[in-house]
Amino acid sequence: MGPHVSESALAGLVEDLAGEVLVPGDPGYDEARVIHNGMIDRRPAVIAQCANQADVSNAILFGREAQLPIAVRGGGHSVAGTSVIDGALVVDLRRMHTVVVDPEDMTVRVDGGTTMGQMDHACQPFHVATTGGRVSTTGVGGFTLGGGSGWLERKFGLASDNLLAADLITAEGKHVHTDAQENPDLFWALHGGGGNFGVATSLTLRLHQLPRMSMAMLFFLPDDAPEIVRTFRDLAAGAPDGFGGGVIYMPAPPEPFVPEDVVGRLICGTLFTYAGPVEEIRELVAPLMALKPVVEIVQDVPYAELQSMLDDPPGLRNYWSAEYLTGLPDTAVDVFCDRGAGIPAGLPIQHVLFLMGGAVAREGAQYPQPWRTAPWVLHPFATWEDAADDERAEQWVRDVRADARPWSIDAVYLNFVGAEGEQRVVDSYGEENYRRLRAVKAEYDPDNVFRHNHNIAPATS
């Protein structure tokens, strides 16, 4: 339990919590400390599985009294593993996952531990949605407060653009509500500032009508990849806001829709998503289909199902990063394709370009997210099983970032990256925004209790 945790203090926490308290040696402790990235194997001193807002407050006060570092767990998808820290108190929100959909007011209220899949499935019967992450097990809280990039962002804006209100427990264990009128500086900071200011116990998000969703997934052998990527780029440039998607290099998965002689081979794939019927997306992708894909899936798809298409099994080793690009000229296409063609054998690396623009670029200029004006994002995404491959997988991601430097901006959506240093954080907000964020941090967390994240240091007097 660590030198600061007395038996009596721990007993007090157990008594105070409606949820469960786990320490090393308890049944369920090892399962509770596992997160999405299999590279992370840490042993917190105490895991407080909170059941309600009062539990969160009591857990924070306990952790501070015991002088333990405090980590916060929602979905557990941070590639840096910030939701579990050695010797820390983990405020585990996963028991708090109530979703309340109001189709008349077009809002959804979620508890702090809600996952994207839980929210999407609750909204789907009403044919409504809001911008969500591309993986269903992602936590809504961390995703939204970090900015929130997903398939619907060009149509409906980032997830944070749809944030209407939030309830937080501060480092002093106090409840704070924020929206555009109440505590507006805090509300501004939550548009990209992440978990720096408190533990989000509930979020209220704007919903949008989404009667139909469709997709076009096309796999090509990589010989003609530059033409494929340029065609995708040119189609995307004229696409309406309802279209999202990207281009990806990866080994072809062993799925029933993939021909046996293609499984395991490197492919260049394109994915278009569309907030509308399949007839319209089919017309848009006709030039790509003329390039003779080896896999062709064009169909209507429920949004919640689309959201889980890229789910990876937990426990894989993960390392990813991103660069936001000023454009995608032919020279950048060639560099992207050259690197994709050189994915190391045996590594299930995903070399991805996501389309941005639309509502993302038009809205939210007042928020600390300068990366949102970029039309493309390069997202090298490495997952693998064997620790012996760590060095070459991580180096490949770093090499992709280096390739992109001629076209990249300094700012990046921090949910897409791991621990890449303080300057990366400052650059991603911009210096003026960062100064303002530090002032908000100083008001709500002057001791930097919530520092196991893409940290914003509190301003000093």
Side-chain angles (χ1 to χ4, degrees), residues 178-179 183-193 366-368 432-434 436-437 440:
T178 182
D179 54 35
N183 299 307
D185 283 346
L186 176 60
F187 188 66
W188 172 85
L190 295 183
H191 289 72
Q366 71 273 30
Y367 296 129
E432 183 177 345
N433 287 325
Y434 190 67
R436 184 176 171 188
L437 288 165
V440 178

Side-chain angles (χ1 to χ4, degrees), residues 101-108 128 164 204-208:
V101 181
D102 188 334
E104 293 186 3
D105 286 346
M106 293 296 286
T107 61
V108 57
V128 295
L164 299 176
T204 301
L205 300 163
R206 181 186 299 108
L207 292 173
H208 306 268

Side-chain angles (χ1 to χ4, degrees), residues 26-101:
D26 283 349
Y29 168 83
D30 283 327
E31 181 181 0
R33 69 185 180 88
V34 172
I35 58 174
H36 184 75
N37 187 354
M39 296 182 76
I40 308 301
D41 182 18
R42 297 177 184 150
R43 301 184 65 83
V46 182
I47 301 174
Q49 296 185 317
C50 300
N52 53 44
Q53 194 175 76
D55 280 3
V56 175
S57 178
N58 287 331
I60 291 171
L61 293 174
F62 164 84
R64 297 203 67 181
E65 177 67 23
Q67 300 181 35
L68 294 175
I70 295 177
V72 182
R73 175 170 185 160
H77 268 262
S78 161
V79 68
T82 56
S83 57
V84 59
I85 303 296
D86 284 330
L89 166 73
V90 173
V91 179
D92 187 340
L93 302 176
R94 286 176 292 173
R95 293 189 177 204
M96 300 170 60
H97 53 75
T98 299
V99 181
V100 179
V101 181

Side-chain angles (χ1 to χ4, degrees), residues 423 426-427 429-436:
Q423 192 59 48
V426 176
D427 290 344
Y429 295 121
E431 289 189 5
E432 183 177 345
N433 287 325
Y434 190 67
R435 282 194 294 270
R436 184 176 171 188

